[in-house]
Amino acid sequence: MTDFDVAVIGSGFAGLTAAITARAEGASVIVLEGSGELGGSSRLSGGKLMGACTRLQREAGIEDDPEDMYRFYMGLNRFRLEPSVIRTLCERSGATIDWLQDIGVAFDSRVMTSGEERAARMHITVGEGMAVSQTLVSEAKRIGVEFALGMKVDRLLVADGEVVGLAVGADTLSVGAVVMATGGFAANRELVSKHLPLLANEDWYWYIGAATSDGSAFELGAQVDAQVVGGGRATRLITPNFGNVLEGGYLPGWLVIVNGEGRRFYDETSSYSVTQPILEGQRAPVFAVFDEESKNSSSPDTVEATKKVSVGKRDGRAQKWVKAMLDEMVERGRVLKADSLEQLAALMGVPEQRLLGTIEEYNHDVTAGQDSHYRKRADVLRKVQTPPFYATELRMAHVALTAVGLRIDSQARVLADSGAAVPGLFAAGECTGGVVGDVYVGSGNSITSAFVFGRVAGSGAATWARPDIPSASSREMDLPS
């Protein structure tokens, strides 16, 4: 006789979704949260999801296809992800967003393009991650999920190779199945250095999630010889050294970005899904260049209007690229200032003639009304011609999520080093690897993964713990009609 059918470790989106799903299918469920607050890093997120064939898309007249989403996702990641896992993500994404609506999560009626995808797939929740988390907690409590706060699980209990419980210190809990949803590891700099070597010595480093993202999944997974995959993968956002100011991964279009050779190398309004791999291939340091006119005209309205994607002004929140902030950073020495472009090149340490040629050609394109090299939107082009001139270094130093973790299969079962599924152990969310690839596909990539595989894990755990519950194969699948 077990204490609970299913135990879920972690209360972010993946954990809460798994708990709701397992409980709705008839299992008794407890969620163990190591901190004193529910929600994990998920509650701090923007609450955006991506999905194909949703009700919201149909209502907006958007035609989409999970197969197209799958091909785009895999192609952007050079097919270096497991097809069965990504097919599950794409094929169940739409129904998962519909399910969230059904349990009370509020969505904006707009469905937008956030990356480079063909169809608009970004779904915007009302109230961001905090509101979504509160809705999930309310639904879980309504249907009878139990919660235990301040319970940091340190051991899995295993009998004859099967996970049969867990422990917090001397306290043990007997369960039929465990779902690990412990989050990432970006708050643990030792693990960051181990798994994300590019960030090992980054002095601008900032993780925008919760302090509870300490990588506990690695220690728990090691107890059952679980595979770890996704080495080196994390979603990093481009940022100047203006402190810990969260403004998303989109830059205002009036910036001119050059590499250490003084040359432009991409469309500055590109989505962060492609900005990261592009910048990783450039000679450092990388700088944003602008002039006095652009600085003086930069306001919250003009900044948002020149971004590739904007879902609205950030009222009451600090912004990086507005005049007041830029002036402050000039005073603090974090934005370089010069009376001529020649002087600016010297301060930047880039070849003078290359920078001058880059700006001359760019200004010519502005006059012509077309970016002849990178096809940046004509309406955001601004000349760099009014002194003084400015430059600030940019780095991919702010971490939104980590993507190294336990390997799961398409059924969210944790896989051991032998390749076999660990009996009774499932996982979802940021503690898993192999779902988010080298390229972050668009706004909502990781959150959609948390919800989709949270549902898969919750259903699988309930079925494992309670054989009398119909298996997923005998129920209606979350496939588009």
Side-chain angles (χ1 to χ4, degrees):
M1 185 69 179
T2 59
D3 297 312
F4 288 90
D5 295 325
V6 175
V8 178
I9 310 173
S11 66
F13 289 163
L16 291 171
T17 300
I20 293 168
T21 303
R23 180 66 189 128
E25 295 189 7
S28 59
V29 181
I30 185 169
V31 174
L32 296 100
E33 168 57 47
S35 72
E37 186 174 7
L38 297 173
S41 289
S42 298
R43 74 181 190 279
L44 306 176
S45 72
K48 299 175 182 65
L49 295 89
M50 67 177 190
C53 292
T54 66
R55 283 197 299 259
L56 287 165
Q57 282 180 313
R58 291 192 292 273
E59 290 167 3
I62 298 168
E63 294 184 3
D64 201 5
D65 178 11
E67 179 67 20
D68 183 76
M69 180 177 171
Y70 167 78
R71 289 289 172 183
F72 176 74
Y73 197 113
M74 292 292 284
L76 207 59
N77 281 286
R78 296 177 290 172
F79 282 79
R80 295 176 60 189
L81 297 168
E82 193 169 322
S84 63
V85 172
I86 305 308
R87 279 202 177 277
T88 297
L89 175 69
C90 297
E91 290 175 354
R92 301 190 66 165
S93 62
T96 295
I97 292 173
D98 293 348
W99 173 80
L100 286 168
Q101 281 191 290
D102 292 340
I103 66 169
V105 174
F107 283 83
D108 192 305
S109 61
R110 294 174 296 169
V111 181
M112 302 174 65
T113 300
S114 62
E116 311 303 324
E117 65 268 30
R118 178 189 63 81
R121 297 191 177 113
M122 181 175 74
H123 296 69
I124 307 163
T125 60
V126 176
E128 302 187 332
M130 186 65 73
V132 177
S133 180
Q134 291 169 348
T135 300
L136 293 172
V137 170
S138 295
E139 175 64 11
K141 289 181 176 179
R142 184 187 71 81
I143 64 175
V145 173
E146 297 189 33
F147 290 89
L149 300 180
M151 302 293 285
K152 188 170 179 58
V153 175
D154 51 47
R155 299 190 313 283
L156 297 175
L157 303 181
V158 182
D160 297 325
E162 178 180 344
V163 175
V164 295
L166 43 78
V168 180
D171 297 324
T172 62
L173 195 69
S174 173
V175 300
V178 170
V179 176
M180 289 180 55
T182 53
F185 60 90
N188 185 327
R189 288 303 298 270
E190 182 178 347
L191 289 176
V192 168
S193 296
K194 177 180 179 180
H195 295 289
L196 305 173
L198 289 177
L199 291 168
N201 300 309
E202 178 54 70
D203 54 1
W204 294 11
Y205 183 91
W206 181 49
Y207 171 50
I208 63 178
T212 52
S213 296
D214 60 2
S216 58
F218 292 114
E219 184 176 348
L220 294 173
Q223 296 169 17
V224 291
D225 201 25
Q227 292 184 47
V228 173
V229 295
R233 290 175 180 162
T235 297
R236 297 180 286 140
L237 304 179
I238 189 169
T239 182
N241 190 21
F242 292 1
N244 298 341
V245 178
L246 176 60
E247 197 179 337
Y250 299 98
L251 298 173
W254 42 266
L255 294 174
V256 177
I257 297 179
V258 300
N259 58 23
E261 298 176 344
R263 294 188 170 119
R264 285 183 74 213
F265 52 89
Y266 84 128
D267 171 1
E268 292 86 349
T269 66
S270 295
S271 62
Y272 56 87
S273 62
V274 296
T275 293
Q276 180 175 335
I278 290 173
L279 259 73
E280 287 174 346
Q282 299 303 312
R283 176 182 169 184
V286 169
F287 289 94
V289 177
F290 53 97
D291 69 358
E292 180 76 358
E293 183 176 348
S294 289
K295 177 180 73 72
N296 289 341
S297 63
S298 60
S299 67
D301 286 333
T302 60
V303 167
E304 290 301 315
T306 62
K307 290 182 178 180
K308 180 182 179 70
V309 174
S310 175
V311 296
K313 289 193 299 181
R314 296 167 52 83
D315 295 332
R317 289 183 262 184
Q319 288 187 272
K320 297 173 184 175
W321 299 104
V322 296
K323 182 180 184 301
M325 176 69 80
L326 294 172
D327 285 337
E328 177 185 345
M329 292 302 149
V330 171
E331 292 297 318
R332 295 174 63 179
R334 296 183 180 182
V335 173
L336 304 174
K337 178 180 179 180
D339 291 329
S340 69
L341 288 171
E342 291 84 352
Q343 294 173 354
L344 189 66
L347 292 174
M348 295 164 63
V350 302
E352 177 184 308
Q353 292 306 311
R354 289 180 185 168
L355 181 65
L356 293 177
T358 294
I359 298 303
E360 180 180 5
E361 186 172 22
Y362 185 82
N363 287 343
H364 180 271
D365 280 355
V366 177
T367 298
Q370 179 177 327
D371 179 356
S372 61
H373 291 290
Y374 301 104
R375 302 301 189 190
K376 183 162 68 173
R377 281 167 39 199
D379 65 304
V380 302
L381 298 173
R382 294 184 189 170
K383 289 185 177 181
V384 181
Q385 64 180 1
T386 305
F389 300 98
Y390 302 91
T392 187
E393 186 180 352
L394 302 173
R395 297 182 191 175
M396 304 297 297
H398 286 185
V399 175
L401 67 107
T402 53
V404 186
L406 307 184
R407 183 185 173 196
I408 59 171
D409 64 10
S410 61
Q411 298 175 59
R413 300 178 299 183
V414 174
L415 301 182
D417 188 62
S418 67
V422 178
L425 185 61
F426 301 79
E430 201 176 344
C431 70
T432 66
V435 183
V436 175
D438 295 315
V439 179
Y440 194 75
V441 174
S443 289
N445 191 166
S446 64
I447 290 178
T448 301
S449 168
F451 283 122
V452 168
F453 286 104
R455 295 184 75 200
V456 174
S459 179
T463 302
W464 179 269
R466 290 276 304 276
D468 56 306
I469 294 175
S471 66
S473 62
S474 66
R475 295 191 305 273
E476 183 179 352
M477 297 297 291
D478 282 345
L479 298 177
S481 56

